[in-house]
Structure formats: structure tokens, C-alpha cells
Amino acid sequence: MYDFFLTEEQRAVRDAAREFAQRELLPGVIERDKEEKFPHEQVKMMGELGFMGMMVSPQYGGGGMDTTSYVLALEEIAKIDASAAVIMSVNNSLVCWGLEKYGTEEQKRKYLTPLAKGEILGAFCLSEPEAGSDATSQKTTAEDCGDYYLLNGVKNWITNGGTASVYLVIAQTYPEKKHKGINVLIVEKGMEGFAVGKKEEKLGIRSSDTHSLMFNNVKVPKENRIGEDGFGFKFAMTTLNGGRIGIAGQALGIASGSYELALKYSKERKSFGKAICEHQAIQFKLSEMATNINAARLLTLHAAKIKDAGLDYVNEAAQAKLLASQVAMDTTIEAVQVHGGYGYVREFHVERLMRDAKITQIYEGTSEIQKIVIAREILK
């Protein structure tokens, strides 16, 4: 229904992502989820196809595409494998975008180019054991020691935590200045004192790796700071705004993927002498699913358009994530219901999509945080 306002390039990107997901991600997706196996080969191919740095300028190895193309590709990837989608989303939205917008030319050449090409992965390190939704309460410290910072603390819930090579770490330098005393530092895997902690066992997105990270007197050169002194909190919040569009795209893919499976199954499964899609109870479920998905898709694409126009998109991004994540949860639950007993087993995919859906209401700002953001915007 939305093809009419897409450009030829945007449709080509969507179709390429769809074809890749069906060909490369679908085989083995159930096993990767079951075994919590990171999709190394598939992510490498995503990099080669340009999916890991879609919005980065070509001069830094990226695709130079717009946010709409990015959302369309994410939806198609997430339909099949939400874990691959979040790996892609973090690298694009939270790492590459912030580096390109706020990094120095040297930082871009050194870090952004290999990240955009998918040669290495990045991670965004904001959450802590005592600082999730309250991102101002950073306990990780970056002590100013002249020509370097001494980094100490713990980060957790870090996507790509074990597989990344480059980490954007948010840390407090001047506690007395509160959020205005926070910095963001580029940390490389292998720096002395930096250790990757345990891998989390998760309900969903099980083939993406989520880890705690420990920093013990890690010396980070001053040239690895992004932006001016004290810019870290603003960097994190601005970056998350774009990240929310990415998560909305992921949620949209989870929802539309489960809906397509439910629609197909409803035409094949028979009860009381006819296909279950001919029963009004199932028709009502399918009609609500289709309507909600289209509403979430249009809101997400609207947020992408607002961002690409260079306008303030804070409200639109929060609304898109809030709605799309709720639609993902509602749709996957109903998709399981349409499948009946078959929906409860791995073979039919929808139980995995239901488990994957829940995290979209939590990471990169919980649904409750989105409501606070939206309220602040509309009450300005």
C-alpha cells in the first residue's frame, strides 16, 4: 500500500534486503536462536551488501542512503531474523551515525570507514547496573589525566558486546556538573584493563550477543573523545533519537513477519470443513493485525522522512517506537493464537517472533520513557 511514494532506489533496497533475508537468514534461523549462535557469516555478507553502514557517506565507505531506505531494509531483515536486525541497527544508528555527525576527521577515517563497510562491528555503551532509563546516573567514570582519560566502571546489556571491535562508552568526568559533565569515549577491544563479561541468556534476540563490560583503569587517549568536553550526555540522547527509528523498523519487521505467517497458515489450516481464514473470529484478528501494522509502518516512515528533511524528529521517533513495539507485541501474540498449538512450537517461527518482540518495548528507551519524551514534546 505504500509503494506509490517510494523511489525506485528505495524499492530496490527493500527488495534486495527481502531477497537476502529469505536466501541467507531464513536457513538456520531456528537453530541459531536455539543455540544462541551469533550469525557471523550472515553479518559479514550484510556488510558486503552495504547494510551495515547504509546512511554513512560514501567517502567513509557507506551507502549514502536515506533513513527511509534504512527502515525498509531493517523491516525485511527483522521479518526473518530480529537478532540480525538489531546487530545491523546498533551498528548503523548508534555507532556509525554518531561518529559521522560528531566525530573528528581522524576518528572517521580510523573507525567509521571499517564500521560502515562491515569489516568490524561497533557497540554503544550507555546502560549500567544502576543507570538504565535514568541515563544521567552514570557511575562509570572517565578521570581527566591530561592527555588521556582513566576509565573505570561497568556497562551492561550491551548489544554486540562480545563481537564488537569499537565501543562508544558514556562516562562521567565531572560529577558535580551532573549530565553536563559526561563524556563519550571511543574504546578499542584489546585496550589494557578492558574486559568483556558474561554473555546474557535472553528471552528473545538470542543469536545477538549481549554482554556486561568491565573497565579497570583503561587509558583512553584524549583524541578518542567525541565532541567537546561534557558533550557525552547530549551525544547519547541525540543518537538514541535516531536509534528509536531503527528499533521501530525492527519492531515493524517482527510484526509484519508474524502477520504474513499467520495469514498464510490461516489459508492452509482447515477446521469445521473450511479454511480457518473463513471464520469471522480469525478474520477479525487478521484485519486488526493488518491495520495496526500499516499504521505503525506509516508512522515509522514519517519519522524517517522528518529526520531526512533535517527537522526536529524527537517526537516522531518516540511515537514510532512506542506504537511499532506495541504492534509487534500484539501481532505476534495473535499470530501464535491463529496457529493454535502449532504456534507454540519452534518449527512454525511465530513463538520466536513473539519472544523477540518484547525487547522492542524495552531497549533504546522503554515504552514508559517514550511516553515521557512525547509528553515533553507536545507540551513545549
Side-chain angles (χ1 to χ4, degrees), residues 40 55 73 85 97 104 109 126 142 144 185 187-188 194 228 231 234 244 320 340 361 364 367 369 379:
H40 289 286
M55 297 174 288
W97 186 85
T104 64
R109 286 197 304 270
L126 175 63
D144 189 339
L185 306 177
V187 175
E188 299 176 29
F194 171 39
E228 297 297 318
F231 180 67
K234 185 175 180 181
R244 285 163 184 161
Q361 295 181 309
E364 295 189 37
S367 292
I369 289 293
L379 292 172

Side-chain angles (χ1 to χ4, degrees), residues 16-240:
R18 181 179 298 164
E19 195 274 334
F20 168 78
Q22 290 287 337
R23 186 186 73 246
E24 302 293 346
L25 292 176
L26 184 57
V29 66
I30 293 174
E31 288 71 24
R32 291 194 300 274
D33 170 77
K34 181 181 177 181
E35 298 168 10
E36 299 180 280
K37 183 179 178 182
F38 190 88
H40 289 286
E41 288 302 313
Q42 292 80 2
V43 170
K44 181 182 177 183
M45 285 185 275
M46 287 164 68
E48 292 168 353
L49 289 169
F51 291 131
M52 301 306 287
M54 292 183 68
M55 297 174 288
V56 175
S57 169
Q59 74 179 101
Y60 301 115
M65 299 180 196
D66 59 13
T67 312
T68 298
S69 297
Y70 170 56
V71 166
L72 294 169
L74 256 180
E75 179 182 354
E76 295 301 328
I77 299 294
K79 277 183 185 180
I80 305 300
D81 189 345
S83 294
V86 74
I87 295 163
M88 171 182 164
S89 177
V90 166
N91 205 70
N92 276 276
S93 298
L94 299 186
V95 181
C96 287
W97 186 85
L99 270 170
E100 182 166 26
K101 186 167 180 65
Y102 298 112
T104 64
E105 193 61 35
E106 182 182 352
Q107 289 169 348
K108 292 175 187 178
R109 286 197 304 270
K110 185 175 181 180
Y111 300 111
L112 180 59
T113 298
L115 284 164
K117 291 179 177 179
E119 296 171 351
I120 60 174
L121 278 178
F124 181 79
C125 310
L126 175 63
S127 293
E128 298 181 0
E130 296 180 34
S133 294
D134 181 10
T136 61
S137 299
Q138 296 292 302
K139 296 293 188 288
T140 299
T141 59
E143 181 185 353
D144 189 339
C145 296
D147 58 352
Y148 66 90
Y149 289 98
L150 201 60
L151 187 63
N152 283 281
V154 176
K155 296 290 182 180
N156 65 347
W157 316 123
I158 306 303
T159 302
N160 300 343
T163 50
S165 298
V166 175
Y167 300 78
L168 305 188
V169 182
I170 314 300
Q172 180 64 262
T173 300
Y174 310 106
E176 69 279 5
K177 295 183 180 180
K178 299 182 179 179
H179 71 281
K180 292 183 179 180
I182 294 172
N183 280 310
V184 54
L185 306 177
I186 303 170
V187 175
E188 299 176 29
K189 180 174 279 185
M191 283 184 169
E192 188 176 351
F194 171 39
V196 176
K198 68 164 187 161
K199 180 181 176 182
E200 303 292 348
E201 296 182 14
K202 308 190 298 288
L203 172 72
I205 56 166
R206 286 166 55 85
S207 63
S208 74
D209 67 313
T210 304
H211 288 261
S212 296
L213 306 175
M214 281 78 74
F215 306 93
N216 182 21
N217 290 330
V218 180
K219 288 186 176 181
V220 184
K222 264 286 177 63
E223 59 263 28
N224 280 31
R225 187 187 72 207
I226 299 177
E228 297 297 318
D229 201 9
F231 180 67
F233 183 75
K234 185 175 180 181
F235 173 91
M237 294 302 102
T238 306
T239 303
L240 282 174

